[in-house]
C-alpha cells in the first residue's frame, strides 16, 4: 500500500518500531484511530522483523491474531481491558471450539503486542495519550491466560495408526495405481506418486511438510548401509521451526528396506514420466510444480474415508506410527528421537502409543525376570 509523504508510513526521526519512526507527529489524520492502530501494528512488525529477526510468517500470524482481537472487541489498544481478554478467550474456547494450544498462541501474540505498545521505549503510550486522552495497558495476565499444564494438547482422538491400518492404507494406495492402469486413466502416475509419498512419510517418520519439500538431492548414500544404494539416508531441510527461527535440518537414516525399494522404483521409473530433470522436487506435479502438503492431506483423507477409518486420522498419524512401531520393535528410543528430530525424549514418548500386546509382553518379561531373581 502506498502511503503519501507525511503519512504514518513515513520514516522520521526515531528508532525501528518507535512511534516517531512510524507515525508523523503533529499531523491531522483522517480517521485517526484506525490510522494509529495500523501504525502501531506496522511498528510492531518492524520491531519483530528487524529488532528480533523473526520470520515473516511468524510476524504475520501474530499480527493477524491481534487484528482479530481488535475486530472482536470493536475497539483500539488504548481502549482494551483485561475483561476483553477474558471474554475473547471464552469466545475462542466455548463458541469457536479452538484447541487450548491454539488459544494460547493467540494470547501469547496479544501479550507480546501489549508489551510492545505499553513500553515507554517505543513512545506509543504518550502518543495515544496525546491524541486520544488514554493509553494502552497490558490486558493479558497470569490469571486470565491459559497455562501450559500438559505436554500434549492436541486432539485426544488422534493416535498412531496400527500396523494393520498402515498396511490397509498402503495396500489401498497401491490398488488405486493398479485400477488407474487397468482403466487407462490419466491419474496412474499421480496415484503412484502419492502412494510412494505415504510410504516415505511412514518409512522415515516425516512430517507432511517435510516430505512435500524433499528434493532428489536430499537422498544420500550411507557407508554403513551400502546395500541400500543411494537411499541410505534422507536429508530433511525443512524441519519444524522453533519460535520463528529458520527450519531445522536433520539426516534421517533408512531403516525400512521395503520403503527404500518403493522409493527407488519411483525415482527410477515413475518420476521421469513427469518430464522433469534429474534434480529438483522429489514429488513434481503435472504442471511442473511441487506437490503441496494440502494435496497430500486431501489424498490421505480420500483413502481413509474410502476404508472407513476414523476421521481423526491424518497423515501425521503415520509419523506417530513410525515412532510407536520402532519402539515396539526394540529400537533404542534415543535413536528414534534423533530420527524424528525431537529435542526432548518426553516429546518422543508422547508420540509412542504402544499396543496392548506390546505392553502385555513387556509386563510378562518384567514379571519373569523378577520371579527368577526372587524379588
Amino acid at each position: 500500500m502506498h502511503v503519501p509523504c507525511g503519512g504514518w508510513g513515513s520514516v522520521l526521526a526515531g528508532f525501528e518500531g518507535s512511534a516517531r519512526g512510524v507515525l508523523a507527529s503533529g499531523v491531522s489524520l483522517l480517521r485517526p484511530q484506525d490510522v494509529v492502530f495500523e501504525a502501531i501494528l506496522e511498528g510492531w512488525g518492524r520491531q519483530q522483523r528487524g529488532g528480533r529477526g523473526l520470520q515473516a510468517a511468524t510476524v504475520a500470524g501474530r499480527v493477524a491474531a491481534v487484528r482479530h482481537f481488535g475486530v472482536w472487541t470493536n475497539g483500539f489498544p488504548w481502549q482494551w481491558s483485561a475483561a476483553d481478554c477474558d471474554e475473547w478467550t471464552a469466545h475462542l474456547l466455548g463458541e469457536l471450539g479452538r484447541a487450548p494450544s491454539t488459544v494460547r498462541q493467540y494470547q501469547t501474540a496479544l501479550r507480546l503486542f501489549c508489551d510492545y505498545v505499553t513500553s515507554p521505549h517505543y513512545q506509543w503510550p504518550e502518543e495515544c495519550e496525546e491524541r486520544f486522552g488514554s493509553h494502552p495497558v497490558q490486558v493479558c495476565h497470569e490469571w486470565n491466560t491459559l497455562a501450559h499444564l500438559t505436554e500434549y494438547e492436541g486432539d485426544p482422538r488422534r493416535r498412531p495408526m496400527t500396523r494393520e491400518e498402515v498396511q490397509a492404507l498402503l495396500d489401498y494406495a497401491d490398488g488405486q495405481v493398479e485400477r488407474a492402469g487397468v482403466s487407462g486413466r490419466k491419474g496412474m502416475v499421480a496415484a503412484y506418486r502419492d502412494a510412494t509419498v505415504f510410504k516415505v512419510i511412514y518409512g522415515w517418520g516425516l512430517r507432511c511438510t517435510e516430505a512435500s519439500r524433499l528434493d532428489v538431492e536430499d537422498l544420500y548414500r550411507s557407508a554403513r548401509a551400502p546395500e541400500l544404494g543411494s537411499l541410505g539416508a534422507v536429508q530433511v531441510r525443512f524441519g519444524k521451526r522453533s519460535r520463528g527461527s529458520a527450519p531445522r535440518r536433520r539426516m534421517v537414516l533408512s531403516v525400512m528396506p521395503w520403503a527404500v525399494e518403493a522409493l527407488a522404483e519411483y525415482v527410477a521409473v515413475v518420476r521421469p514420466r513427469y518430464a522433469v530433470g534429474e534434480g529438483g522436487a522429489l514429488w513434481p506435479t503435472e504442471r511442473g510444480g511441487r506437490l503441496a502438503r494440502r494435496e497430500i492431506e486431501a489424498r490421505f483423507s480420500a483413502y481413509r474415508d474410502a476404508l472407513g477409518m476414523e476421521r481423526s486420522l491424518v497423515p501425521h498419524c503415520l509419523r506417530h506410527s513410525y515412532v510407536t512401531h520402532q519402539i515396539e520393535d526394540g529400537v533404542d528410543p534415543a535413536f528414534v528421537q534423533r530420527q524424528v528430530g525431537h529435542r526432548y525424549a518426553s516429546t518422543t514418548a508422547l508420540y509412542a502409543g504402544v499396543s496392548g500386546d506390546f505392553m502385555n509382553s513387556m509386563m510378562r518379561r518384567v514379571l519373569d525376570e523378577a520371579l527368577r531373581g526372587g524379588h
Side-chain angles (χ1 to χ4, degrees):
M1 179 177 66
H2 175 70
V3 180
C5 181
W8 61 263
S10 300
V11 179
L12 305 177
F15 56 91
E16 192 73 21
S18 68
R20 299 297 179 266
V22 181
L23 186 67
S25 60
V27 176
S28 297
L29 302 174
L30 183 65
R31 301 178 63 184
Q33 293 183 319
D34 291 328
V35 172
V36 171
F37 187 22
E38 288 299 319
I40 294 173
L41 290 174
E42 171 67 18
W44 188 42
R46 294 184 188 180
Q47 182 261 345
Q48 292 181 92
R49 292 188 299 269
R52 301 187 59 193
L54 298 183
Q55 296 289 324
T58 300
V59 176
R62 289 178 174 178
V63 169
V66 174
R67 285 188 187 279
H68 181 274
F69 181 75
V71 170
W72 188 84
T73 62
N74 194 29
F76 298 96
W78 50 92
Q79 300 170 333
W80 296 344
S81 68
D84 291 328
C85 184
D86 294 344
E87 295 174 7
W88 186 52
T89 299
H91 168 70
L92 292 171
L93 290 170
E95 298 179 31
L96 300 186
R98 297 289 187 264
S101 57
T102 301
V103 174
R104 184 179 302 104
Q105 290 178 0
Y106 293 166
Q107 291 177 336
T108 298
L110 183 60
R111 177 178 56 79
L112 293 173
F113 173 79
C114 289
D115 284 343
Y116 162 77
V117 77
T118 59
S119 171
H121 300 293
Y122 295 99
Q123 306 157 343
W124 290 112
E126 58 184 279
E127 186 72 29
C128 293
E129 189 73 44
E130 178 182 338
R131 291 182 180 272
F132 310 116
S134 181
H135 58 82
V137 298
Q138 176 59 265
V139 301
C140 293
H141 304 282
E142 183 179 352
W143 59 83
N144 72 344
T145 53
L146 300 184
H148 195 166
L149 301 177
T150 60
E151 293 189 83
Y152 179 73
E153 297 178 323
D155 188 340
R157 297 169 299 176
R158 189 163 297 171
R159 56 169 178 79
M161 299 173 69
T162 66
R163 295 176 191 266
E164 292 75 19
E165 287 173 330
V166 172
Q167 190 63 59
L169 176 74
L170 299 183
D171 287 346
Y172 186 84
D174 287 339
Q176 293 300 106
V177 180
E178 295 176 6
R179 293 185 187 93
V182 171
S183 63
R185 288 187 295 160
K186 185 178 179 180
M188 185 183 71
V189 175
Y192 198 114
R193 176 201 62 199
D194 295 346
T196 310
V197 170
F198 297 142
K199 293 171 185 175
V200 167
I201 292 176
Y202 174 68
W204 281 268
L206 304 183
R207 298 179 178 90
C208 203
T209 299
E210 293 172 348
S212 71
R213 300 299 298 272
L214 288 176
D215 286 344
V216 174
E217 291 83 359
D218 295 324
L219 309 179
Y220 283 80
R221 295 180 179 274
S222 173
R224 297 291 184 134
E227 65 271 32
L228 300 182
S230 62
L231 299 176
V234 171
Q235 179 182 230
V236 172
R237 292 180 293 113
F238 291 89
K240 188 175 182 180
R241 300 174 184 268
S242 177
R243 296 185 180 181
S245 65
R248 294 167 57 192
R249 296 190 175 208
R250 72 179 187 278
M251 190 69 75
V252 186
L253 304 179
S254 306
V255 294
M256 297 187 185
W258 65 266
V260 170
E261 182 179 346
L263 180 56
E265 183 174 354
Y266 164 80
V267 172
V269 178
V270 179
R271 184 178 177 276
R273 299 187 64 174
Y274 280 102
V276 292
E278 294 183 358
L282 184 58
W283 318 111
T285 64
E286 291 183 353
R287 296 184 178 182
R290 180 188 299 272
L291 187 68
R293 183 190 68 182
R294 64 180 180 276
E295 296 174 287
I296 298 174
E297 293 171 339
R299 180 77 76 157
F300 180 96
S301 297
Y303 291 178
R304 175 203 64 202
D305 294 345
L307 290 167
M309 294 182 178
E310 299 171 17
R311 294 183 63 84
S312 59
L313 297 177
V314 295
H316 198 72
C317 293
L318 291 170
R319 174 173 160 88
H320 285 238
S321 301
Y322 171 89
V323 174
T324 295
H325 299 162
Q326 289 288 290
I327 291 177
E328 285 183 349
D329 291 341
V331 178
D332 189 329
F335 174 79
V336 178
Q337 177 186 344
R338 291 288 299 274
Q339 287 279 90
V340 296
H342 288 157
R343 288 186 174 182
Y344 306 105
S346 59
T347 306
T348 307
L350 291 173
Y351 271 57
V354 294
S355 67
D357 289 341
F358 174 83
M359 295 298 291
N360 291 333
S361 299
M362 184 60 65
M363 179 188 70
R364 187 67 261 169
R365 184 188 306 174
V366 173
L367 283 175
D368 289 343
E369 291 179 359
L371 292 171
R372 281 196 299 270
H375 299 298

